Amino acid sequence: EEEEDDDSSREADFTSPAWEVLLESVLLLKESGNDALQAGAINLAARRYDKAIQYCAVAYTEFPVGDVTFLVSHQDEMMKNSGHEIHWTALLKALITIRLNLSMTMLKKQINDPPAALEQAQLALNELKPFTSTKWRLDKAQEDEINQQTYKEAKELQAKAYFRLGTAQTSSGDFAAAIRSFEHSMRSTREATPGREPEPVVLRRLADAKREHLRKKKRHRKKFKFMFSNEEGGGTN
Protein backbone atom coordinates (compact mmCIF):
# COMPACT_ATOMS: atom_id res chain seq x y z
CA GLU A 1 0.00 0.00 0.00
CA GLU A 2 1.46 3.36 -1.05
CA GLU A 3 2.10 6.09 1.49
CA GLU A 4 0.10 9.31 1.28
CA ASP A 5 1.86 12.65 1.05
CA ASP A 6 0.08 13.91 4.20
CA ASP A 7 2.06 12.87 7.32
CA SER A 8 -1.11 12.75 9.45
CA SER A 9 -2.60 9.97 7.28
CA ARG A 10 0.34 7.62 7.63
CA GLU A 11 0.63 4.91 10.25
CA ALA A 12 3.79 4.75 12.30
CA ASP A 13 6.38 2.32 10.93
CA PHE A 14 7.74 0.71 14.08
CA THR A 15 10.23 -1.33 12.03
CA SER A 16 12.03 1.74 10.69
CA PRO A 17 15.72 2.20 11.63
CA ALA A 18 14.89 5.30 13.70
CA TRP A 19 12.46 3.37 15.91
CA GLU A 20 14.97 0.52 16.25
CA VAL A 21 17.71 2.91 17.38
CA LEU A 22 15.35 4.46 19.95
CA LEU A 23 14.38 1.02 21.27
CA GLU A 24 18.00 -0.16 21.46
CA SER A 25 18.98 2.97 23.40
CA VAL A 26 16.13 2.46 25.86
CA LEU A 27 16.93 -1.22 26.39
CA LEU A 28 20.61 -0.43 26.91
CA LEU A 29 19.73 2.08 29.64
CA LYS A 30 17.33 -0.41 31.19
CA GLU A 31 19.96 -3.12 31.34
CA SER A 32 22.54 -0.74 32.79
CA GLY A 33 19.98 0.22 35.42
CA ASN A 34 19.40 -3.44 36.24
CA ASP A 35 23.15 -3.97 36.56
CA ALA A 36 23.48 -1.00 38.91
CA LEU A 37 20.57 -2.26 41.01
CA GLN A 38 22.09 -5.73 41.33
CA ALA A 39 25.40 -4.14 42.33
CA GLY A 40 23.68 -2.16 45.09
CA ALA A 41 24.19 1.20 43.37
CA ILE A 42 20.61 2.24 44.02
CA ASN A 43 20.85 5.93 43.15
CA LEU A 44 22.71 5.15 39.94
CA ALA A 45 20.05 2.59 39.01
CA ALA A 46 17.31 5.17 39.57
CA ARG A 47 19.10 7.71 37.39
CA ARG A 48 19.51 5.20 34.56
CA TYR A 49 15.88 4.10 34.71
CA ASP A 50 14.82 7.76 34.71
CA LYS A 51 17.01 8.44 31.68
CA ALA A 52 15.47 5.46 29.88
CA ILE A 53 11.99 6.85 30.58
CA GLN A 54 13.08 10.22 29.18
CA TYR A 55 14.16 8.47 25.98
CA CYS A 56 10.80 6.70 25.79
CA ALA A 57 9.04 10.01 26.30
CA VAL A 58 10.37 11.12 22.93
CA ALA A 59 7.81 8.80 21.35
CA TYR A 60 4.88 9.71 23.60
CA THR A 61 4.97 13.48 24.07
CA GLU A 62 4.07 16.34 21.77
CA PHE A 63 6.94 18.58 20.69
CA PRO A 64 8.13 20.50 17.59
CA VAL A 65 8.86 18.12 14.74
CA GLY A 66 12.36 19.33 13.92
CA ASP A 67 14.47 16.40 12.74
CA VAL A 68 12.30 13.66 14.31
CA THR A 69 9.76 13.38 11.50
CA PHE A 70 9.50 9.62 12.00
CA LEU A 71 7.37 10.37 15.08
CA VAL A 72 4.83 12.70 13.45
CA SER A 73 2.31 10.09 12.31
CA HIS A 74 2.60 8.29 15.64
CA GLN A 75 1.86 11.45 17.60
CA ASP A 76 -1.12 12.25 15.38
CA GLU A 77 -2.50 8.77 15.98
CA MET A 78 -2.10 9.11 19.76
CA MET A 79 -3.94 12.45 19.69
CA LYS A 80 -6.89 10.73 18.04
CA ASN A 81 -6.95 8.20 20.91
CA SER A 82 -6.99 10.60 23.87
CA GLY A 83 -3.21 10.51 24.17
CA HIS A 84 -3.04 6.73 24.60
CA GLU A 85 -0.66 4.43 22.77
CA ILE A 86 -2.79 1.80 21.03
CA HIS A 87 0.01 -0.31 19.56
CA TRP A 88 1.48 -3.05 21.76
CA THR A 89 5.09 -2.42 20.80
CA ALA A 90 8.42 -3.48 22.24
CA LEU A 91 9.06 0.17 23.16
CA LEU A 92 5.83 0.45 25.14
CA LYS A 93 6.55 -2.81 26.98
CA ALA A 94 10.04 -1.56 27.78
CA LEU A 95 8.64 1.72 29.12
CA ILE A 96 6.18 -0.07 31.40
CA THR A 97 8.75 -2.50 32.80
CA ILE A 98 11.21 0.34 33.38
CA ARG A 99 8.56 2.27 35.30
CA LEU A 100 7.95 -0.78 37.49
CA ASN A 101 11.69 -1.21 38.08
CA LEU A 102 11.97 2.46 39.02
CA SER A 103 8.96 2.15 41.33
CA MET A 104 10.69 -0.69 43.16
CA THR A 105 13.98 1.23 43.27
CA MET A 106 12.38 4.32 44.79
CA LEU A 107 11.38 2.26 47.84
CA LYS A 108 14.93 1.12 48.58
CA LYS A 109 16.18 2.51 51.90
CA GLN A 110 18.85 4.61 50.14
CA ILE A 111 16.07 6.64 48.48
CA ASN A 112 12.81 5.83 50.33
CA ASP A 113 10.45 7.94 48.23
CA PRO A 114 6.99 6.26 48.36
CA PRO A 115 5.17 9.06 46.45
CA ALA A 116 7.59 8.70 43.52
CA ALA A 117 7.22 4.91 43.61
CA LEU A 118 3.44 5.26 43.64
CA GLU A 119 3.51 7.69 40.71
CA GLN A 120 5.52 5.33 38.49
CA ALA A 121 3.17 2.42 39.22
CA GLN A 122 0.13 4.57 38.43
CA LEU A 123 1.67 5.76 35.16
CA ALA A 124 2.35 2.15 34.16
CA LEU A 125 -1.27 1.24 34.90
CA ASN A 126 -2.49 4.15 32.81
CA GLU A 127 -0.35 3.07 29.86
CA LEU A 128 -1.76 -0.45 30.12
CA LYS A 129 -5.41 0.65 30.09
CA PRO A 130 -6.05 0.33 26.34
CA PHE A 131 -4.91 -3.29 26.39
CA THR A 132 -6.45 -4.55 29.65
CA SER A 133 -10.06 -3.43 29.48
CA THR A 134 -12.81 -6.00 29.07
CA LYS A 135 -14.16 -4.06 26.09
CA TRP A 136 -10.78 -4.24 24.34
CA ARG A 137 -10.61 -7.98 24.95
CA LEU A 138 -14.10 -8.58 23.57
CA ASP A 139 -13.62 -6.27 20.57
CA LYS A 140 -10.10 -7.25 19.58
CA ALA A 141 -8.92 -10.44 21.25
CA GLN A 142 -11.80 -12.74 20.42
CA GLU A 143 -10.75 -15.35 17.87
CA ASP A 144 -7.47 -13.53 17.27
CA GLU A 145 -4.42 -15.34 18.58
CA ILE A 146 -2.11 -12.31 18.37
CA ASN A 147 -4.46 -10.04 20.30
CA GLN A 148 -5.15 -12.76 22.85
CA GLN A 149 -1.40 -12.91 23.52
CA THR A 150 -1.29 -9.11 23.81
CA TYR A 151 -4.12 -9.18 26.34
CA LYS A 152 -2.32 -11.87 28.35
CA GLU A 153 0.98 -9.98 28.38
CA ALA A 154 -0.74 -6.72 29.31
CA LYS A 155 -2.67 -8.39 32.14
CA GLU A 156 0.53 -9.93 33.51
CA LEU A 157 2.17 -6.51 33.55
CA GLN A 158 -0.96 -5.05 35.12
CA ALA A 159 -0.68 -7.58 37.94
CA LYS A 160 2.92 -6.46 38.55
CA ALA A 161 1.94 -2.79 38.37
CA TYR A 162 -0.80 -3.24 40.97
CA PHE A 163 1.70 -5.09 43.15
CA ARG A 164 4.15 -2.18 42.90
CA LEU A 165 1.33 0.25 43.61
CA GLY A 166 0.24 -1.72 46.66
CA THR A 167 3.82 -1.89 47.93
CA ALA A 168 4.18 1.90 47.61
CA GLN A 169 0.83 2.43 49.35
CA THR A 170 1.94 0.17 52.18
CA SER A 171 5.11 2.20 52.58
CA SER A 172 2.95 5.35 52.68
CA GLY A 173 0.77 3.87 55.44
CA ASP A 174 -2.33 3.72 53.22
CA PHE A 175 -3.13 0.11 54.04
CA ALA A 176 -6.75 0.20 52.84
CA ALA A 177 -5.63 1.28 49.36
CA ALA A 178 -2.81 -1.29 49.43
CA ILE A 179 -5.30 -4.07 50.14
CA ARG A 180 -7.33 -3.04 47.08
CA SER A 181 -4.22 -2.91 44.90
CA PHE A 182 -2.98 -6.35 45.95
CA GLU A 183 -6.46 -7.76 45.32
CA HIS A 184 -6.45 -6.14 41.87
CA SER A 185 -3.05 -7.74 41.25
CA MET A 186 -4.44 -11.16 42.08
CA ARG A 187 -7.46 -10.57 39.83
CA SER A 188 -5.24 -9.51 36.92
CA THR A 189 -3.16 -12.68 37.34
CA ARG A 190 -6.28 -14.82 37.11
CA GLU A 191 -7.53 -12.89 34.07
CA ALA A 192 -4.18 -13.33 32.33
CA THR A 193 -4.16 -17.08 32.97
CA PRO A 194 -7.41 -18.56 34.31
CA GLY A 195 -6.76 -20.88 37.23
CA ARG A 196 -3.29 -19.52 37.93
CA GLU A 197 -2.47 -18.89 41.57
CA PRO A 198 -1.05 -15.49 42.63
CA GLU A 199 2.62 -15.23 43.50
CA PRO A 200 3.29 -16.06 47.20
CA VAL A 201 4.82 -12.62 47.73
CA VAL A 202 1.52 -10.99 46.71
CA LEU A 203 -0.37 -13.10 49.24
CA ARG A 204 2.15 -12.20 51.95
CA ARG A 205 1.97 -8.48 51.21
CA LEU A 206 -1.83 -8.64 51.19
CA ALA A 207 -1.87 -10.39 54.57
CA ASP A 208 0.60 -7.83 55.96
CA ALA A 209 -1.52 -4.92 54.69
CA LYS A 210 -4.67 -6.41 56.21
CA ARG A 211 -2.92 -6.92 59.53
CA GLU A 212 -1.53 -3.37 59.60
CA HIS A 213 -4.89 -1.93 58.53
CA LEU A 214 -6.57 -3.73 61.44
CA ARG A 215 -3.94 -2.46 63.87
CA LYS A 216 -4.42 1.08 62.57
CA LYS A 217 -8.18 0.87 63.06
CA LYS A 218 -7.73 -0.45 66.60
CA ARG A 219 -5.34 2.38 67.44
CA HIS A 220 -7.83 4.93 66.14
CA ARG A 221 -10.69 3.38 68.10
CA LYS A 222 -8.58 3.38 71.24
CA LYS A 223 -7.60 7.00 70.67
CA PHE A 224 -11.19 8.13 70.17
CA LYS A 225 -12.38 6.14 73.15
CA PHE A 226 -9.73 7.82 75.30
CA MET A 227 -10.73 11.25 73.99
CA PHE A 228 -14.43 10.70 74.69
CA SER A 229 -13.76 9.27 78.16
CA ASN A 230 -11.77 12.42 79.04
CA GLU A 231 -14.60 14.63 77.82
CA GLU A 232 -17.18 12.75 79.88
CA GLY A 233 -15.07 12.83 83.05
CA GLY A 234 -13.77 16.36 82.70
CA GLY A 235 -17.00 18.24 83.26
CA THR A 236 -17.33 21.91 82.28
CA ASN A 237 -15.19 24.90 83.11
Side-chain angles (χ1 to χ4, degrees), residues 12 14 19 56 59-60 74-75 77-79 81-93 95-96 126-131 136:
F14 297 106
W19 279 102
C56 288
Y60 302 119
H74 180 242
Q75 291 173 344
E77 190 172 19
M78 286 185 63
M79 288 176 65
N81 290 280
S82 303
H84 283 291
E85 171 64 273
I86 60 169
H87 298 285
W88 189 243
T89 64
L91 184 64
L92 179 62
K93 287 188 281 186
L95 171 59
I96 292 168
N126 187 56
E127 286 151 355
L128 284 163
K129 274 183 181 179
F131 310 97
W136 187 92

Side-chain angles (χ1 to χ4, degrees), residues 84-151:
H84 283 291
E85 171 64 273
I86 60 169
H87 298 285
W88 189 243
T89 64
L91 184 64
L92 179 62
K93 287 188 281 186
L95 171 59
I96 292 168
T97 56
I98 292 164
R99 287 200 189 283
L100 299 183
N101 286 356
L102 181 56
S103 179
M104 173 182 63
T105 304
M106 298 309 287
L107 292 179
K108 298 293 185 181
K109 63 182 180 179
Q110 293 91 332
I111 300 177
N112 191 28
D113 190 347
L118 190 146
E119 179 186 27
Q120 291 301 320
Q122 288 177 325
L123 286 169
L125 286 166
N126 187 56
E127 286 151 355
L128 284 163
K129 274 183 181 179
F131 310 97
T132 55
S133 69
T134 301
K135 183 179 185 304
W136 187 92
R137 178 174 60 84
L138 293 175
D139 290 350
K140 306 245 181 176
Q142 201 168 29
E143 299 180 1
D144 187 327
E145 186 176 343
I146 294 176
N147 282 318
Q148 286 176 351
Q149 182 61 28
T150 295
Y151 180 76

Side-chain angles (χ1 to χ4, degrees), residues 3 7 13 19 48-49 53 65 68 75 86 88 93 123 129 134 140 156 161 164 181 186 205 214 217 219:
E3 292 184 345
D7 282 334
D13 180 10
W19 279 102
R48 287 175 175 173
Y49 290 142
I53 290 171
V65 175
V68 286
Q75 291 173 344
I86 60 169
W88 189 243
K93 287 188 281 186
L123 286 169
K129 274 183 181 179
T134 301
K140 306 245 181 176
E156 289 172 346
R164 296 291 176 217
S181 294
M186 294 165 62
R205 295 286 176 86
L214 183 59
K217 288 175 66 175
R219 287 197 300 270

Side-chain angles (χ1 to χ4, degrees), residues 144-183:
D144 187 327
E145 186 176 343
I146 294 176
N147 282 318
Q148 286 176 351
Q149 182 61 28
T150 295
Y151 180 76
K152 183 177 185 294
E153 290 177 3
K155 274 294 178 181
E156 289 172 346
L157 282 173
Q158 187 183 50
K160 293 179 181 179
Y162 273 123
F163 174 74
R164 296 291 176 217
L165 182 64
T167 303
Q169 289 163 334
T170 298
S171 295
S172 300
D174 191 351
F175 301 113
I179 291 168
R180 291 192 295 271
S181 294
F182 291 134
E183 289 175 343

